[in-house]
């Protein structure tokens, strides 16, 4: 199974379950003791690096070196934080995600410098090492004697002290919050949306240039020649006007096809049920369409759903050799779920040119998800999940009147 990453999921952050403390020291207790004894040297080294570098930066603040030195110090603090997270994962079994990479909004040294100086993650790491210094000495001073005189209570003592370490790591060494992570994702998704929009624009321009525009140019030339021959040879002029009339019909048909590819009229007027049924009639397989939606979603979600189904049905026609397929669309709380299956030969993936990779990117850009299950020999099952956003009043007026609380099940005869 191949699944795109969910927009809110970045790996499982749940900590591994810890065995309860016991009089007989377990492997986890020894790891906790090792962490407590190493707190002191690690804390001293981290504090010394930060204190010396920040002091030097302050002393040189009146020169051109002070601020760049402070920025490099904060960059180094991120490295210290990475080391501490690795130590916590290894010894304390704490799963904390790595913060997002820091990226300047613009190119240039000043933009890089300002981005580094206002790095909230690095400053929280600085606070962590300032707190860690006295705590490291205290935990070291308590643990070392307990190894010799407090052996019976050492497992419980080590667990209690390391729980403080776990709290510090989670509070100060984790990413800022979910908002910081979402901002990074949305910046990436914005690039995907821009790339998709640019590709669609180039496709429309190419279709216009190669199709309707070329025919209209030919039509203008034919009409110009007919005008010249109108008095000299009326019959030839009439024949040329007839040909021009045929060119006009072809140009209008190409413009209709292009408009249907941008946003089909049936989708705007009647909603997803009839629009998906119309798509099913163009597929070579026998397609069953079931739509169970109490209301129409927002126009953007409706359009993405339509073009997702269109792409999947084209893949079924071109690549799967399927004879039957099924499309199910329904709402589950705040998500719109699409399920497409076929009995084809399977083997679909996101790299064999079927457009599934681009489809996954388009869904991810709106906080959606694409899951593909297509073993060799079939069947192929594709699940798409999109956020549900209701249609606003203005959208409802422009989108026509759609019946509510309606379930449709239509079958196309093969």
């Amino acid at each position: 199974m191949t699944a795109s990453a969910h927009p809110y999921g970045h790996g499982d952050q749940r900590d591994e379950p810890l065995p309860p403390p016991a009089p007989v020291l377990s492997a986890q207790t020894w790891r906790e003791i090792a962490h407590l004894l190493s707190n002191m040297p690690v804390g001293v080294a981290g504090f010394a690096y930060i204190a010396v570098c920040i002091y030097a930066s302050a002393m040189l603040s009146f020169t051109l070196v002070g601020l760049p030195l402070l920025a490099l110090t904060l960059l180094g603090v991120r490295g210290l934080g990475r080391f501490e997270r690795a130590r916590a994962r290894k010894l304390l079994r704490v799963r904390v995600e790595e913060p997002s990479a820091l990226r300047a909004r613009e190119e240039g040294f000043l933009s890089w410098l300002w981005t580094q100086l206002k790095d909230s993650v690095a400053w929280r790491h600085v606070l962590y090492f300032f707190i860690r210094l006295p705590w490291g000495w205290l935990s070291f001073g308590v643990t070392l004697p307990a190894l010799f005189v407090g052996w019976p209570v050492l497992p419980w003592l080590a667990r209690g002290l390391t729980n403080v370490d776990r709290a510090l790591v989670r509070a100060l060494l984790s990413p800022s919050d979910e908002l910081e992570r979402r901002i990074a994702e949305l910046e990436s998704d914005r690039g995907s949306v821009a790339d998709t929009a640019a590709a669609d624009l180039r496709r429309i321009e190419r279709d216009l240039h190669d199709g309707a525009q070329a025919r209209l140019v030919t039509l203008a030339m034919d009409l110009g020649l007919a005008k010249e021959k109108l008095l000299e040879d009326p019959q030839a002029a009439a024949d040329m006007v007839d040909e021009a009339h045929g060119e006009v019909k072809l140009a209008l048909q190409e413009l209709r096809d292009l408009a249907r590819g941008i946003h089909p009229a049936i989708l705007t007027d009647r909603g997803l049920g009839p629009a998906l049924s119309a798509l099913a009639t163009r597929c070579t397989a026998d397609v069953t369409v079931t739509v169970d939606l109490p209301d129409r979603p927002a126009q953007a979600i409706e359009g993405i759903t339509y073009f997702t189904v269109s792409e999947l049905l084209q893949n079924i026609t071109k690549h799967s050799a399927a004879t039957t397929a099924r499309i199910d669309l329904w709402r589950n709380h705040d998500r719109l779920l699409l399920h497409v299956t076929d009995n084809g030969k399977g083997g679909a993936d996101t790299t064999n040119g079927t457009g599934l990779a681009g489809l996954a990117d388009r869904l991810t850009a709106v906080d959606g998800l694409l899951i593909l299950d297509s073993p060799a020999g079939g069947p192929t099952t594709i699940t798409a999940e999109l956020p549900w956003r209701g249609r606003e009043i203005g959208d409802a007026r422009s989108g026509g009147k759609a019946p509510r609380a309606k379930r449709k099940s239509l079958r196309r005869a093969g």
Side-chain angles (χ1 to χ4, degrees):
M1 178 179 289
T2 302
S4 64
H6 194 281
Y8 296 103
H10 305 276
D12 191 351
Q13 294 190 71
R14 292 176 297 180
D15 300 337
E16 295 183 15
L18 300 174
V24 178
L25 299 186
S26 64
Q28 179 57 39
T29 299
W30 282 112
R31 283 191 289 266
E32 292 173 347
I33 293 172
H35 188 276
L36 292 170
L37 294 178
S38 61
N39 274 347
M40 187 267 290
V42 171
V44 170
F47 180 84
Y49 165 79
I50 294 172
V52 170
C53 291
I54 290 181
Y55 178 77
S57 301
M59 294 297 294
L60 297 172
S61 60
F62 60 90
T63 69
L64 297 177
V65 180
L67 290 180
L69 179 58
L70 180 58
L72 291 174
T73 300
L74 295 175
L75 193 61
V77 169
R78 273 193 168 236
L80 291 176
R82 190 178 305 113
F83 171 77
E84 278 293 88
R85 283 187 292 273
R87 193 165 71 100
R89 282 193 294 269
K90 183 68 175 177
L91 299 178
L92 301 183
R93 296 296 189 258
V94 175
R95 302 298 179 189
V96 177
E97 273 194 67
E98 294 295 325
S100 301
L102 200 60
R103 296 187 299 273
R105 293 183 177 271
E106 301 175 359
E107 295 183 357
F109 175 74
L110 292 179
S111 178
W112 172 85
L113 180 63
W114 176 243
T115 302
Q116 297 296 331
L117 292 178
K118 65 184 184 70
D119 181 12
S120 61
V121 173
W123 284 111
R124 286 191 296 110
H125 288 16
V126 169
L127 178 60
Y128 170 85
F129 282 100
F130 272 83
I131 297 175
R132 169 46 61 89
L133 180 66
W135 173 249
W137 278 103
L138 177 62
S139 58
F140 179 85
V142 172
T143 304
L144 186 61
L147 280 172
F148 302 98
V149 298
W151 192 269
V153 298
L154 185 57
W156 290 270
L157 179 65
R159 180 60 53 84
L161 293 174
T162 53
N163 281 340
V164 177
D165 285 301
R166 292 183 178 93
L168 285 174
V169 169
R170 294 190 188 102
L172 298 177
L173 295 185
S174 62
S176 298
D177 49 26
E178 186 62 26
L179 178 61
E180 187 262 351
R181 177 69 67 181
R182 291 291 298 139
I183 289 173
E185 283 185 356
L186 291 175
E187 288 178 350
S188 174
D189 293 344
R190 182 178 60 184
S192 299
V193 172
D195 292 341
T196 301
D200 290 340
L201 181 59
R202 287 193 299 270
R203 177 183 59 81
I204 294 170
E205 290 174 344
R206 183 177 63 251
D207 291 344
L208 284 173
H209 181 272
D210 297 340
Q213 181 179 341
R215 290 193 180 279
L216 291 175
V217 170
T218 303
L219 173 63
M221 295 174 62
D222 290 345
L223 289 176
L225 292 174
K227 182 180 179 181
E228 293 178 359
K229 291 181 175 293
L230 184 60
L231 297 178
E232 299 176 3
D233 190 351
Q235 184 58 42
D239 293 340
M240 296 180 71
V241 170
D242 287 339
E243 293 179 3
H245 185 250
E247 289 290 332
V248 169
K249 290 183 177 180
L250 292 174
L252 287 174
Q253 183 60 44
E254 288 182 354
L255 287 174
R256 289 192 194 99
D257 293 340
L258 181 61
R260 186 180 298 115
I262 297 173
H263 198 83
I266 189 174
L267 177 62
T268 302
D269 296 338
R270 303 180 60 189
L272 281 168
L276 298 187
S277 298
L279 280 177
T281 62
R282 305 177 198 170
C283 184
T284 56
D286 181 10
V287 182
T288 300
V289 179
T290 301
V291 177
D292 186 10
L293 297 178
D295 299 288
R296 291 182 64 174
Q299 285 185 347
I301 300 301
E302 195 174 62
I304 292 175
T305 304
Y306 175 86
F307 289 110
T308 298
V309 174
S310 177
E311 180 73 25
L312 295 177
L313 290 181
Q314 288 182 33
N315 285 344
I316 291 174
T317 297
K318 295 178 181 178
H319 306 290
S320 73
T323 58
T324 61
R326 182 177 181 86
I327 299 171
D328 293 288
L329 182 67
W330 72 99
R331 177 185 176 183
N332 184 16
H333 301 295
D334 60 345
R335 308 296 284 180
L336 181 65
L337 299 176
L338 171 67
H339 195 68
V340 180
T341 60
D342 68 72
N343 65 345
K345 61 184 180 181
D349 58 49
T350 58
T351 60
N352 66 356
T354 59
L356 292 175
L359 199 58
D361 291 340
R362 179 172 292 192
L363 291 173
T364 302
V366 293
D367 291 342
L369 172 69
L370 182 73
I371 300 176
L372 169 66
D373 183 13
S374 183
T380 295
T381 301
I382 297 177
T383 302
E385 181 180 327
L386 294 93
W388 175 271
R389 291 199 295 271
R391 181 162 294 215
E392 298 178 357
I393 295 177
D395 291 342
R397 288 176 180 172
S398 63
K401 297 181 180 179
R404 300 185 57 180
K406 173 172 196 188
R407 180 178 180 88
K408 291 190 174 184
S409 182
L410 305 104
R411 186 174 185 85
R412 170 184 173 263

